[in-house]
Amino acid sequence: MAILLGSIADDYTGASDLANTLTKNGLRTVQTVGIPDPSLALPDVDAVVVSLKIRSVPAAEAVTAAASAEQWLRRRGAGHVLYKICSTFDSTDAGNIGPVTEALSHAAGGGIVLVTPAFPETGRTVYLGHLFVGGQPLNESPLKDHPLNPMHDANLVRVLTRQSHGAVGLIDLTAIAAGPAVVKARLEALRAGGVTAAIADAIFERDLETLGEIALETPVSTGASGLGLGLARALVRSGRISSGGAAPADAIRPVGGLSAIVAGSCSKATLRQLEVAERSMPVLRLDPERLLAGSDEIAAAISWAGDRIAAGPVVIAASAAPETVARLQSLYGREASGHAIETATSIITAELVARGVRRLVVAGGETSGAAVDRLAIPAFLIGPEIAAGVPVLRTVGNAPGDMLLALKSGNFGGEDFFAAALAMMH
Ligand SMILES: Nc1ncnc2c1ncn2[C@@H]1O[C@H](COP(=O)(O)OP(=O)(O)O)[C@@H](O)[C@H]1O
Ligand SMILES: O=C(O)[C@@H](O)C(=O)COP(=O)(O)O
């Protein structure tokens, strides 16, 4: 299997978001969970997205994992590797976007890396280096309250500089609107001046098409699904994609079985989706304090689900509003509470699957990572899109048999997302 485009995603929802974008834009794509075992039979594809769970781990750990994935992708022919980060640039001053970008660039012989989290379809735009989420600057958006990576600075040149050894520059919208030749010249001028990463503005998809064309001439880029769109369209325009990009028909074959939704995302969109789900499905709100206190909250949740699940989908959620999250974190610490809750939701997910759930929606990037790891799913085929950035996924090589999943990024999806997802998973 020789591939044209490789990607390393810093979380699993982000990986499925990118895989969805690449598929929609003409590349046959598979999403692997980590570096796949050589025995796993993967389909013939144009692009592989390796999902890692490295957004919130120590930078050195993220670098080591990403470097191995990069080598694996290069050995399979990837001429370009996109480091898929969050469209809201989720990270801390200690990393991991800067350190991983620099490591990937170093492995590819150095040079300058284009960086942009813009994803206009979901309202993420970058202007003069500042990231906007819908109509709000990043630091005024709900991301200011993220449980793991609260974002307090919309100026990405500044944010990335704090995480990088090298100098960070800006390619502004004026240059991008002037087209690929001007962007290329600007990138070269920045490189000659010692800059190793350039934040690129982008507001419209045409900006990302320009950036994709130039990025494709370099070995590494860093960005969200918008840059994926630009790279995919550039590859298709180059005439190097012969497949026509159709998603495998297998991806939507029904699996039957029971269905469930597990949420650990505390994002504004997820909190609203849970409220709406309460009108049509049984929803269990976990008590995070009881979970952390080591009580039998997990067993109680499994028993609650067991009493209801044969009659229809159930929802189990740890999600809570920012004030409640802040209170728990003040008692147990940010990382400890996040990790303990992810562990609990992943155990509950595995128990639901053991009881016959084959159609599963997980809300939250870290939450999805923990759940998919516990289920030991090796890879996914990409099915139809449920909402911008969220496709139906079909497991490849899964031990208990095929499953359909939707891994929902916290801020993605309309308010009826959960019902809409299950309606597409048969
Ligand atoms: N009630 C809660 N209090 C504190 N942290 C929580 C609570 N519920 C979930 N979490 C944690 O918040 C984090 C949410 O991150 P994630 O799953 O990536 O969601 P998102 O996609 O919205 O960013 C996870 O680590 C999760 O375990
Ligand atoms: O780019 C995006 O916004 C998503 O693909 C993504 O990575 C979101 O992360 P989570 O909200 O943590 O799932």
Side-chain angles (χ1 to χ4, degrees):
M1 180 187 58
I3 58 173
L4 288 167
L5 180 67
S7 177
I8 301 162
D10 69 353
D11 82 347
Y12 295 15
T13 44
S16 70
D17 164 19
L18 176 67
N20 177 55
T21 295
L22 299 181
T23 305
K24 280 203 310 181
N25 286 283
L27 307 193
R28 293 169 308 162
T29 305
V30 71
Q31 174 182 350
T32 66
V33 180
I35 297 172
D37 189 89
S39 65
L40 181 70
L42 291 174
D44 207 16
V45 287
D46 307 306
V48 175
V49 181
V50 177
S51 337
L52 299 179
K53 194 174 183 297
I54 58 170
R55 187 173 292 172
S56 306
V57 302
E61 209 179 296
V63 164
T64 304
S68 307
E70 193 250 6
Q71 283 169 18
W72 186 86
L73 288 163
R74 299 280 186 209
R75 280 200 298 273
R76 269 141 201 89
H80 184 87
V81 172
L82 167 65
Y83 180 42
K84 162 66 179 71
I85 56 162
C86 190
S87 64
T88 48
F89 221 75
D90 295 17
S91 52
T92 65
D93 287 351
N96 289 339
I97 298 173
V100 172
T101 298
E102 289 186 334
L104 295 179
S105 174
H106 181 71
I112 181 164
V113 179
L114 265 177
V115 180
T116 185
F119 187 17
E121 195 183 351
T122 55
R124 276 59 157 175
T125 56
V126 182
Y127 180 61
L128 296 179
H130 289 68
L131 176 56
F132 292 83
V133 180
Q136 294 172 305
L138 177 65
N139 56 306
E140 293 174 25
S141 78
L143 273 299
K144 70 183 188 315
D145 299 315
H146 191 278
L148 301 175
N149 311 293
M151 299 304 289
H152 298 303
D153 190 356
N155 181 330
L156 300 185
V157 174
R158 233 165 23 209
V159 174
L160 192 58
T161 297
R162 287 196 288 267
Q163 302 179 17
S164 303
H165 286 107
V168 179
L170 172 69
I171 302 189
D172 67 17
L173 197 64
T174 316
I176 291 156
V182 172
V183 173
K184 190 171 175 175
R186 188 66 61 86
L187 201 61
E188 179 49 31
L190 287 171
R191 192 201 59 76
V195 169
T196 55
I199 296 288
D201 283 354
I203 293 182
F204 300 108
E205 288 188 358
R206 64 168 180 267
D207 304 326
L208 291 152
E209 288 178 356
T210 297
L211 291 170
E213 190 168 325
I214 298 308
L216 203 55
E217 294 177 6
T218 68
V220 175
S221 62
T222 293
S225 257
L227 190 54
L229 169 149
L231 288 163
R233 290 187 186 171
L235 267 172
V236 170
R237 274 200 309 276
S238 75
R240 290 155 69 195
I241 304 294
S242 54
S243 63
D250 251 11
I252 49 173
R253 210 165 13 90
V255 295
L258 303 176
S259 46
I261 295 163
V262 177
S265 159
C266 301
S267 295
K268 195 175 170 199
T270 305
L271 297 179
R272 178 69 191 140
Q273 288 155 356
L274 287 167
E275 276 173 22
V276 170
E278 263 166 346
R279 296 182 202 148
S280 59
M281 300 173 217
V283 177
L284 177 68
R285 304 280 187 167
L286 296 169
D287 179 338
E289 261 183 67
R290 283 171 54 89
L291 277 180
L292 269 103
S295 79
D296 56 1
E297 185 75 352
I298 295 178
I302 294 162
S303 156
W304 175 90
D307 292 343
R308 288 164 182 80
I309 199 153
V314 297
V315 185
I316 299 184
S319 319
E323 317 73 68
T324 313
V325 170
R327 208 171 58 83
L328 194 79
Q329 291 183 341
S330 70
L331 291 173
Y332 293 94
R334 183 190 299 275
E335 277 171 27
S337 28
H339 185 70
I341 293 173
E342 285 163 37
T343 303
T345 48
S346 74
I347 293 171
I348 292 169
T349 305
E351 290 295 333
L352 293 174
V353 172
R355 284 162 176 71
V357 166
R358 291 293 175 271
R359 290 170 288 154
L360 174 69
V361 180
V362 187
E366 299 296 328
T367 308
S368 294
V372 168
D373 281 352
R374 191 167 290 269
L375 294 174
I377 296 169
F380 295 107
L381 299 180
I382 314 305
E385 179 180 84
I386 304 163
V390 197
V392 175
L393 300 172
R394 185 189 196 85
T395 57
V396 179
N398 193 40
D402 286 359
M403 289 180 65
L404 294 180
L405 278 84
L407 307 180
K408 191 197 80 74
S409 290
N411 287 297
F412 285 176
E415 63 174 32
D416 64 345
F417 178 85
F418 294 134
L422 292 178
M424 291 178 67
M425 299 159 73
H426 301 289

